[in-house]
Amino acid sequence: MYLYLPLVLFITVTCLVSTLTPLNLESYLQPDRITRQEFLTPSNRNQCARECIAEEAPKICYYKWIAEDYVTLGPACGNCPANVTACDAPQCVVANGYEKSIRTINRMVPGPSIQVCLGDRIIVDLQNKMAGNELAIHWHGVFQKGTQYMDGVPMLTQCSILEGDVFRYDFFANNEGTLYWHSHDGLQKLDGIQGSIVVRKPKSTDLNGDTYDLDVPDHTLLILDWINTTAGERFPGLLQRLPGQEPITFLLEDRGPTMLSSGQLIGPPVPYKEVWVESGKRFRLRLLGGLCTVTGVEFSIEDHDLTVIATDGGPIKPVTVTSFVIYSGERYDVVVNANQNPGTYWIHMKGLGVFPSPDEEVYQLALLRYSGTNEERNEVPRYNGGFARGGKVLNPQNATCAEGEGGVCVSQLVASIPDKHNVLDRKPDENIVLGFGFYNYLHGPNPFNRGIYDRFFVVPDRNLMNSVMNNISFIAPPSPPLSQGRDIPDDVYCPIGRSGFPQCPASDTMEGFCECVHLFRVPLGANVQIVMGDVTPASDLHHPFHLHGYDFFVIAMDQFRNGETLDSISSNLLETNLKQSSLPARKDTIAVPSNGYAAIRFKADNPGFWFLHCHFMYHLATGMAVVFQVGEEGDWPPVPPNFPKCGSYQPTVSLEG
Ligand SMILES: *[C@@H]1O[C@H](CO)[C@@H](O)[C@H](O)[C@H]1NC(C)=O
Ligand SMILES: *[C@@H]1O[C@H](CO)[C@@H](O)[C@H](O)[C@H]1NC(C)=O
Ligand SMILES: *[C@@H]1O[C@H](CO)[C@@H](O)[C@H](O)[C@H]1NC(C)=O
Ligand SMILES: *[C@@H]1O[C@H](CO)[C@@H](O)[C@H](O)[C@H]1NC(C)=O
Ligand SMILES: [Cu+2]
């Protein structure tokens, strides 16, 4: 009798679903964080964070999230960091041990981690309790095919969620891998609203399943950059006091002190994040680039090689390196073999970017600890990166990708999933060329003339810039085109020029610059090639571009050489038979080499409105973005009934009588 009870319950639940009786979601509520023990031995059958089993029925995974104004080192923290135990108290956000205003989901930075199996249904009730701030959360790397209106881009796929409102995100985990979530609204990501998503599949069906023994949730590691103030303090930026948008430290998951690149602490002694392994086992670490400012991170572990088995979700042919460079929005899954003397090893995170001085280079450490050992490491650690160790670096800066010198470029990774849409051996139907960079106001009319309100941000040397793609700075339309396309006046979109690409309206007064809704129409099913090029002088900035709704093949990337231009690269690629080369990796975020280019291809089989944008937050905030409208109305599913609406209110005014 007892034995059959679960079955009876299961049938009852299934019947309830099929007759459309509302579910009691509370019984599917998931915890904010799960320990390795809880993951390996689930205590209830609705627990979504679990080892995935072939043929298992998908689960419903329900999350209740509260967005709030919050604070690091607040009242929940007791006398942390002086008392290290107190730092682990519930609702204590440690960060770099420096008190500041932040914004959080469920009083955590990073926010709750979503850990599910392929095919599960993810339902997130997001309640906005922030004072006077709106938000929307993007599920970065989730393709949202069939639920396009759940992509979480304010004024593109939905209206922002206003103070007091709850928005229910509801979509399926239909693509595998290490994925990511973050606020896509304003600057909230740097204030703390971001976290990880892991969509696992049964190890037996994972193409790289034989390369690791354990894949546990405490090895999902978000690397965040951090500043001492709210993100708003750097935008548009303070000309006199603190120009620029550089970070002051990194956090690995919830913590990390502020230190110089020599390892010398310059802030409170926050405990390092500890990553636990067992001697003799191989562990899958999932690293996420939760970065906002203009920095990359070179990640390495003392005395341990890293075997990269996936990036941005998709499995690749494993490649063993000593370090890899990760940018905002990217993810790398690496296998670490705990085959060294049991003990404690330094994890190094070296900032790569434009720092005002060598002393301000950002550097962070964490500890890889073998269980059963409690060795303390107090010595200033020697930097242990890829080149520094005489080894191989994946995704290095300034590499000569074409010749394979200076490490392994992302374009040299090999996918393990076939090109099932034949996008590589067919000439593309659409060839889109995007030059991105900055408009420098010093070379144009004074932006502070009466009646001019173009955006700008402050960079060192008293420069004022705006971000552009093909000379256009993207601005949001007054309503989301996906849910309220007919409410949007035509004249907010950039007009289409003779090239077939959007261009600045003829009426615009600034030469070579304008702000408008930068939208490309792409036929549904088209084979699309996009060549993105950095048209600014060479520097240490490698802008990471993220495409929503898709992953793509990275068919070429490099710095411009010998008079190459964006147009010459793009037309050469059209004539190249790509099938002869090996199958390139699939990504959804690609760091474009400085003064160089990245070329991508994908089949536009997911109708809707999809953002392609620089993932440096201040560049996105100033318009380094375009939108692809794939297909026409009727190709994407209509929004559900009562989907929230928004828009401008400007009724006609007429004189009475
Ligand atoms: C440190 O913090 C813990 C947890 O809040 C508390 O139980 C303990 O008494 C504190 N120890 C000291 C010395 O303050
Ligand atoms: C940030 O705050 C810490 C802690 O007070 C301080 O040591 C550090 O100098 C500050 N850094 C910056 C760049 O303001
Ligand atoms: C941007 O504007 C400049 C100045 O008018 C022009 O020379 C350049 O060709 C434009 N670039 C693109 C990609 O449209
Ligand atoms: C990359 O090249 C730029 C421009 O030549 C240079 O300023 C920078 O130092 C180089 N960075 C690295 C890491 O080699
Ligand atoms: Cu950028």
Side-chain angles (χ1 to χ4, degrees):
M1 183 61 214
Y2 282 104
L3 280 176
Y4 292 108
L5 198 58
L7 186 63
V8 172
L9 278 177
F10 179 75
I11 291 169
T12 318
V13 170
T14 316
C15 294
L16 287 177
V17 173
S18 56
T19 55
L20 290 179
T21 308
L23 278 182
N24 173 19
L25 284 176
E26 292 296 331
S27 61
Y28 299 95
L29 187 64
Q30 306 297 317
D32 287 340
R33 274 273 183 274
I34 205 142
T35 64
R36 187 184 299 189
Q37 197 54 42
E38 289 162 343
F39 173 83
L40 295 172
T41 53
S43 58
N44 83 70
R45 63 188 196 91
N46 287 343
Q47 180 178 312
C48 289
R50 64 198 190 279
E51 288 184 292
C52 307
I53 302 164
E55 317 278 307
E56 187 193 29
K59 292 191 188 293
I60 292 171
C61 312
Y62 175 54
Y63 306 85
K64 266 195 204 170
W65 287 5
I66 314 274
E68 279 179 294
D69 301 297
Y70 201 58
V71 68
T72 56
L73 240 57
C77 292
N79 53 347
C80 162
N83 174 356
V84 171
T85 324
C87 300
D88 294 326
Q91 306 199 348
C92 169
V93 178
V94 189
N96 65 339
Y98 182 66
E99 190 178 31
K100 75 159 186 167
S101 298
I102 53 173
R103 296 198 169 106
T104 54
I105 299 295
N106 293 4
R107 301 191 174 172
M108 300 164 77
V109 174
S113 180
I114 292 179
Q115 304 260 337
V116 299
C117 293
L118 196 61
D120 286 353
R121 181 170 179 180
I122 295 172
I123 302 173
V124 180
D125 277 351
L126 175 59
Q127 183 182 3
N128 182 358
K129 288 179 77 179
M130 296 185 292
N133 273 285
E134 53 175 44
L135 88 161
I137 285 183
H138 170 54
W139 316 94
H140 182 121
V142 176
F143 301 151
Q144 302 289 8
K145 206 170 180 181
T147 48
Q148 282 78 346
Y149 43 80
M150 290 293 163
D151 196 42
V153 185
M155 290 306 177
L156 190 58
T157 64
Q158 71 170 99
C159 302
S160 282
I161 307 159
L162 299 181
E163 180 181 355
D165 289 351
V166 180
F167 186 93
R168 178 165 293 168
Y169 287 100
D170 183 354
F171 55 88
F172 287 90
N174 279 343
N175 54 288
E176 67 172 292
T178 305
L179 314 178
Y180 175 36
W181 65 262
H182 59 84
S183 173
H184 219 295
D185 215 322
L187 309 173
Q188 292 163 357
K189 194 164 79 107
L190 182 53
D191 285 333
I193 302 192
Q194 55 170 325
S196 50
I197 307 178
V198 174
V199 180
R200 293 185 176 80
K201 63 201 280 195
K203 201 159 170 290
S204 55
T205 63
D206 178 353
L207 292 169
N208 288 324
D210 58 354
T211 60
Y212 56 92
D213 302 306
L214 249 84
D215 173 17
V216 286
D218 50 312
H219 286 166
T220 306
L221 301 168
L222 190 78
I223 305 172
L224 297 85
D225 49 1
W226 203 249
I227 57 178
N228 271 2
T229 61
T230 54
E233 187 85 356
R234 303 287 187 95
F235 181 67
L238 307 178
L239 204 54
Q240 319 289 343
R241 270 207 295 132
L242 196 64
Q245 285 83 24
E246 283 75 37
I248 66 157
T249 191
F250 298 129
L251 311 178
L252 184 61
E253 284 281 295
D254 63 340
R255 60 189 60 188
T258 313
M259 57 172 56
L260 299 177
S261 49
S262 62
Q264 185 199 333
L265 289 188
I266 52 166
V270 170
Y272 295 116
K273 168 76 183 167
E274 298 181 348
V275 178
W276 288 90
V277 294
E278 285 148 39
S279 179
K281 292 202 168 130
R282 298 165 303 161
F283 291 86
R284 178 176 189 157
L285 267 46
R286 298 169 176 268
L287 276 302
L288 292 91
L291 305 158
C292 300
T293 61
V294 290
T295 182
V297 173
E298 184 176 0
F299 181 97
S300 63
I301 305 180
E302 185 182 24
D303 295 341
H304 290 76
D305 282 343
L306 307 169
T307 300
V308 186
I309 59 168
T311 179
D312 298 2
I316 55 167
K317 294 244 159 73
V319 42
T320 298
V321 296
T322 38
S323 71
F324 63 88
V325 176
I326 187 166
Y327 285 91
S328 178
E330 286 191 292
R331 289 91 64 208
Y332 290 96
D333 291 18
V334 301
V335 175
V336 173
N337 192 347
N339 60 0
Q340 298 299 303
N341 286 334
T344 301
Y345 296 84
W346 289 111
I347 296 173
H348 296 256
M349 285 157 277
K350 178 184 160 56
L352 301 173
V354 186
F355 299 105
S357 75
D359 265 0
E360 287 158 282
E361 270 180 28
V362 175
Y363 199 75
Q364 189 55 278
L365 296 163
L367 298 168
L368 182 80
R369 307 194 73 150
Y370 283 58
S371 61
T373 66
N374 56 2
E375 182 196 358
E376 292 301 327
R377 293 291 299 268
N378 293 318
E379 89 278 21
V380 174
R382 131 192 90 89
Y383 173 59
N384 199 27
F387 286 136
R389 214 159 114 196
K392 234 199 281 186
V393 184
L394 170 63
N395 200 21
Q397 294 195 305
N398 292 355
T400 317
C401 299
E403 277 106 51
E405 278 167 25
V408 185
C409 292
V410 163
S411 53
Q412 288 154 345
L413 295 175
V414 179
S416 39
I417 294 177
D419 171 21
K420 61 176 189 286
H421 298 299
N422 293 78
V423 302
L424 297 175
D425 57 358
R426 268 197 302 133
K427 197 165 173 164
D429 306 309
E430 300 287 317
N431 181 35
I432 295 169
V433 182
L434 296 169
F436 63 86
F438 302 102
Y439 178 76
N440 189 329
Y441 286 102
L442 292 185
H443 304 148
N446 179 0
F448 303 105
N449 277 335
R450 235 182 272 273
I452 296 179
Y453 297 99
D454 288 331
R455 281 174 310 199
F456 66 94
F457 67 99
V458 170
V459 292
D461 304 325
R462 305 184 76 84
N463 267 358
L464 307 178
M465 313 259 238
N466 207 331
S467 301
V468 292
M469 297 188 75
N470 289 355
N471 286 343
I472 297 168
S473 182
F474 179 90
I475 51 166
S479 303
L482 184 70
S483 52
Q484 290 175 251
R486 292 176 191 185
D487 295 344
I488 304 173
D490 279 342
D491 63 4
V492 304
Y493 294 102
C494 316
I496 304 300
R498 254 180 297 146
S499 60
F501 290 171
Q503 64 172 27
C504 287
S507 60
D508 216 277
T509 51
M510 300 247 193
E511 196 199 334
F513 168 74
C514 62
E515 294 182 341
C516 48
V517 182
H518 197 172
L519 180 138
F520 289 79
R521 284 169 189 265
V522 172
L524 182 61
N527 183 11
V528 182
Q529 172 171 296
I530 301 173
V531 186
M532 291 168 270
D534 177 349
V535 295
T536 67
S539 74
D540 272 335
L541 291 194
H542 302 257
H543 303 243
F545 275 83
H546 171 53
L547 176 62
H548 292 218
Y550 291 94
D551 58 10
F552 47 75
F553 287 109
V554 182
I555 58 170
M557 66 191 284
D558 214 330
Q559 295 180 313
F560 293 121
R561 299 176 195 285
N562 311 324
E564 283 171 341
T565 64
L566 203 45
D567 285 320
S568 72
I569 298 282
S570 143
S571 42
N572 283 348
L573 280 170
L574 288 179
E575 304 309 324
T576 310
N577 184 349
L578 295 165
K579 207 172 184 183
Q580 288 162 355
S581 48
S582 60
L583 192 61
R586 302 185 79 110
K587 298 264 294 166
D588 59 41
T589 309
I590 178 81
V592 179
S594 169
N595 194 238
Y597 61 90
I600 65 174
R601 280 215 199 152
F602 61 98
K603 183 181 163 79
D605 57 0
N606 189 6
F609 289 84
W610 304 113
F611 227 1
L612 171 75
H613 63 88
C614 179
H615 224 270
F616 289 152
M617 191 183 66
Y618 294 101
H619 295 179
L620 171 58
T622 47
M624 201 177 274
V626 298
V627 172
F628 298 110
Q629 175 190 327
V630 178
E632 299 296 332
E633 193 178 343
D635 289 331
W636 50 82
V639 294
N642 304 322
F643 197 78
K645 287 192 167 197
C646 50
S648 302
Y649 173 68
Q650 285 187 295
T652 311
V653 176
S654 44
L655 290 177
E656 281 180 44

